[in-house]
Amino acid sequence: LFPLLGALLPGLLYPTFFAGLMLGCHALAEGKPLELKHLFAGFQTHGPALISLGALSLVINLVVGYVVIRLVGGETFIGNLKNVLEQPSPDAMMQAINETGVMAPMYLLLLVSLALQFIVQFGAMLVVFRALRPLAALLTALRATLLNALPLLVCGLLLLPLAILASLPFMLGWLVLLPLVITSQYAVYRDIFPMPGDRAE
């Protein structure tokens, strides 16, 4: 039971902590100081709704992940991926990748994962800033993601090389990149879902 909880708990609580970070960004945007309490602000303002959102997102991720893996070959894809990861050297891994053709399914999984990530993050912010119920927040976030698929994809692709560079020197680059990623997510949300005082729609 404990390993199962350890695997599920981060996904369950992710929307709550993410919402706290977004509340911190909102405070900065309003000219207020960023404080440590913002990290836990999601629990104080919309805790039950955000945890319910986390539970919903876990179920959706499992279902969508299962469907996508079945579409890209199921056990054959998993076997090929395992074969690639077990190679003893980078050259051997590249050879195994070329032989198995595992990269095309991986790109599809990456795109689906990126889309689900945007949906959950938008959902968390809609719960906090618009007081939507978890299911309504996810449906609204899904619609927003579909309507803005191209710019969101470009945003994700622009961050990808930066993430690779940030990971090279012992992950130290993330000390700079992570605040940029978090604040850019708030900016993207505010551009798609304007708040009172923002530009007229």
Side-chain angles (χ1 to χ4, degrees), residues 23-33 129 186 190 195-198:
L23 288 168
C25 290
H26 187 61
L28 289 173
E30 298 292 308
K32 300 174 184 176
F129 295 126
Y186 173 78
R190 194 151 175 172
M195 297 184 182
D198 289 347

Side-chain angles (χ1 to χ4, degrees), residues 61 64-65 68-69 72 77 81 102-118 152-153 156-161 163-164:
N61 272 280
V64 172
V68 172
I69 286 175
V72 298
F77 166 72
L81 183 60
V102 76
M103 285 310 296
M106 283 298 295
Y107 285 134
L108 178 60
L109 282 170
L110 180 63
L111 285 174
V112 172
S113 176
L114 188 63
L116 290 173
Q117 186 82 352
F118 274 118
L152 289 175
L153 177 62
L157 291 176
L158 287 174
L159 287 173
L160 186 59
I164 295 172

Side-chain angles (χ1 to χ4, degrees), residues 111-112 114-116 118-119 122 138-153 192-193:
L111 285 174
V112 172
L114 188 63
L116 290 173
F118 274 118
I119 291 167
F122 281 150
L138 283 178
L139 291 174
T140 304
L142 173 61
R143 181 174 179 271
T145 302
L146 292 175
L147 290 174
N148 297 276
L150 183 58
L152 289 175
L153 177 62
I192 296 175
F193 299 100

Side-chain angles (χ1 to χ4, degrees), residues 8 20 37 39 45 71 81 83 105 118 120 134 169 174-175 177 182:
L8 295 179
K37 67 179 183 180
L39 184 60
T45 57
L71 287 174
L81 183 60
N83 179 41
F118 274 118
V120 173
W174 280 99
L175 293 174
L177 183 60
I182 292 170

Side-chain angles (χ1 to χ4, degrees), residues 82-96:
K82 184 179 179 182
N83 179 41
V84 169
L85 295 176
E86 288 177 346
Q87 297 303 315
S89 69
D91 290 338
M93 288 183 72
M94 287 303 300
Q95 183 177 350

Side-chain angles (χ1 to χ4, degrees), residues 29-98:
E30 298 292 308
K32 300 174 184 176
L34 179 66
E35 300 178 8
L36 182 60
K37 67 179 183 180
H38 284 123
L39 184 60
F40 306 98
F43 290 96
Q44 299 171 350
T45 57
H46 297 84
L50 288 167
I51 292 173
S52 298
L53 179 70
L56 272 173
S57 68
L58 276 176
V59 173
I60 292 170
N61 272 280
L62 288 173
V63 172
V64 172
Y66 174 78
V67 171
V68 172
I69 286 175
R70 296 297 295 179
L71 287 174
V72 298
E75 293 180 3
T76 302
F77 166 72
I78 293 174
N80 289 337
L81 183 60
K82 184 179 179 182
N83 179 41
V84 169
L85 295 176
E86 288 177 346
Q87 297 303 315
S89 69
D91 290 338
M93 288 183 72
M94 287 303 300
Q95 183 177 350
I97 287 171
N98 292 329

